[in-house]
């Protein structure tokens, strides 16, 4: 799928341009040629950015989250079941709110 290709291209660009000896740095201005990434990594990078990449690239069987059909993500990249999904109904029944 095209989204996986785009995501993989983004991941390769981060590896090639943002990777430092110990982590991943950011660029305040991506149009500045010859600039090195900052010597710091934002706290959300691992918890959110890489989680999105994992969920985009990993087969559905590995994580059980059908991204496009049953879940949405909050701003911290936590998956939330959509109200009309089978998974939400299953969770509701499990806690006795069927």
């Amino acid at each position: 799928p095209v989204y996986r290709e785009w995501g993989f291209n983004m991941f390769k660009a981060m590896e090639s341009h943002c990777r430092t000896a110990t982590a991943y740095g950011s660029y305040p201005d991506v149009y500045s040629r010859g600039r090195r990434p900052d010597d710091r990594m934002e706290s959300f990078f691992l918890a959110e950015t890489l989680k999105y990449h994992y969920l985009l690239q990993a087969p559905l069987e590995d994580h059980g989250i059908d991204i496009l059909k049953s879940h949405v993500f909050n701003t911290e990249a936590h998956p939330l079941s959509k109200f009309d999904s089978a998974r939400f109904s299953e969770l509701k029944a499990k806690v006795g709110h069927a």
Side-chain angles (χ1 to χ4, degrees), residues 12-93:
K12 290 189 301 187
M14 286 188 303
E15 280 290 306
S16 140
H17 299 288
C18 299
R19 184 81 187 233
T20 68
T22 56
Y24 291 86
S26 61
Y27 287 86
D29 181 2
V30 296
Y31 294 109
S32 296
R33 294 182 181 266
R35 183 177 165 86
R36 305 280 306 143
D38 288 347
D39 188 21
R40 65 185 183 88
M41 183 173 72
E42 298 289 347
S43 61
F44 60 80
F45 179 76
L46 296 174
E48 297 173 30
T49 306
L50 291 185
K51 186 190 297 186
Y52 283 126
H53 278 287
Y54 168 76
L55 291 170
L56 182 62
Q57 299 298 333
L60 177 62
E61 300 79 39
D62 286 358
H63 52 74
I65 300 170
D66 188 347
I67 297 168
L68 298 176
K69 294 189 178 144
S70 63
H71 289 77
V72 294
F73 290 87
N74 69 9
T75 56
E76 284 81 34
H78 299 296
L80 304 170
S81 294
K82 291 167 69 176
F83 291 135
D84 62 349
S85 72
R87 177 73 177 143
F88 184 77
S89 298
E90 175 186 320
L91 293 172
K92 229 168 58 170

